[in-house]
Amino acid sequence: AQTVTQSQPEMSVQEAETVTLSCTYDTSESDYYLFWYKQPPSRQMILVIRQEAYKQQNATENRFSVNFQKAAKSFSLKISDSQLGDAAMYFCAYRSASGSGNTGKLIFGQGTTLQVKP
Amino acid sequence: DSGVTQTPKHLITATGQRVTLRCSPRSGDLSVYWYQQSLDQGLQFLIQYYNGEERAKGNILERFSAQQFPDLHSELNLSSLELGDSALYFCASSVAATTYGYTFGSGTRLTVV
């Protein structure tokens, strides 16, 4: 079974600085997707960025980028020029893309709470 | 507004009771997913429906059941409620059963007292 681990329960960053959130996962599959979701105090789950495992190029969405290391099974999120609105809990998630596991089900990590200091 | 509507937003009920959570997917989406978010278990996948049929099942308790109706809305039924069932229940929807990404609703906060 696949697992996702976020080893940093809490992180803090100064406004305008850069922060990196860590995520590792365990799988025997070669085809899958990885996601970062943001959950602000409103509790809404918001998709931040996604990565297909077969793509070597790291995904980027404005100030958000990932460092995808497939061999190391690592998927970190970098937030540049941090803003107060980035304060939230961030979840890393895995989705199988092959065989009977390809249902759309997401497996989430435990989350990292990000504090942004003015 | 994500387009996925969940009702009610908040629900307080007593142990042993039964409740129904409702989800209306985004227009055009055929697949519905239910997740439970609790403090100690994090976000857990419960069940998925696609166009009225069950597609995948997670660690859903036998006391819980779900269905998707012909109009594609879905209901999650929780019975014989226990204190530990207190959680935030999310619904999400997508166009296809295995779409790359999907959209979450704002959740139903269930408190069992």
Side-chain angles (χ1 to χ4, degrees), chain B residues 65-76:
Chain B
S65 65
Q67 55 183 327
Q68 187 178 27
F69 294 86
D71 67 351
L72 301 177
H73 90 272
S74 178
E75 294 182 355
L76 179 66

Side-chain angles (χ1 to χ4, degrees), chain B residues 15 19 26 36 65 72 101:
Chain B
T15 54
V19 297
R26 201 174 49 169
Q36 178 193 57
S65 65
L72 301 177

Side-chain angles (χ1 to χ4, degrees), chain B residues 15-78:
Chain B
T15 54
Q17 295 299 304
R18 171 190 167 96
V19 297
T20 297
L21 312 184
R22 181 186 170 103
C23 170
S24 293
R26 201 174 49 169
S27 178
D29 286 357
L30 300 178
S31 199
V32 170
Y33 309 79
W34 287 97
Y35 285 82
Q36 178 193 57
Q37 184 179 23
S38 58
L39 284 175
D40 57 344
Q41 295 289 327
L43 271 155
Q44 300 284 322
F45 170 74
L46 295 178
I47 198 163
Q48 177 199 359
Y49 279 84
Y50 175 72
N51 204 20
E53 295 189 3
E54 183 183 303
R55 173 76 184 229
K57 213 168 192 177
N59 296 324
I60 188 168
L61 299 172
E62 286 190 8
R63 300 183 286 108
F64 296 1
S65 65
Q67 55 183 327
Q68 187 178 27
F69 294 86
D71 67 351
L72 301 177
H73 90 272
S74 178
E75 294 182 355
L76 179 66
N77 300 297
L78 315 176

Side-chain angles (χ1 to χ4, degrees), chain A residues 20-21 23 30 34 39 52-53 68 75-77 85 99 105:
Chain A
T20 298
L21 307 184
C23 172
S30 59
L34 295 165
Q39 187 178 42
E52 294 125 313
F68 173 49
F75 183 62
S76 60
L77 175 69
K105 164 190 169 181

Side-chain angles (χ1 to χ4, degrees), chain B residues 65-112:
Chain B
S65 65
Q67 55 183 327
Q68 187 178 27
F69 294 86
D71 67 351
L72 301 177
H73 90 272
S74 178
E75 294 182 355
L76 179 66
N77 300 297
L78 315 176
S79 61
S80 302
L81 285 167
E82 302 174 358
L83 296 177
D85 297 326
S86 296
L88 189 57
Y89 291 84
F90 282 107
C91 169
S93 74
S94 65
V95 172
T98 57
T99 297
Y100 189 46
Y102 45 69
T103 304
F104 280 86
S106 57
T108 293
R109 167 71 70 187
L110 173 66
T111 303
V112 183

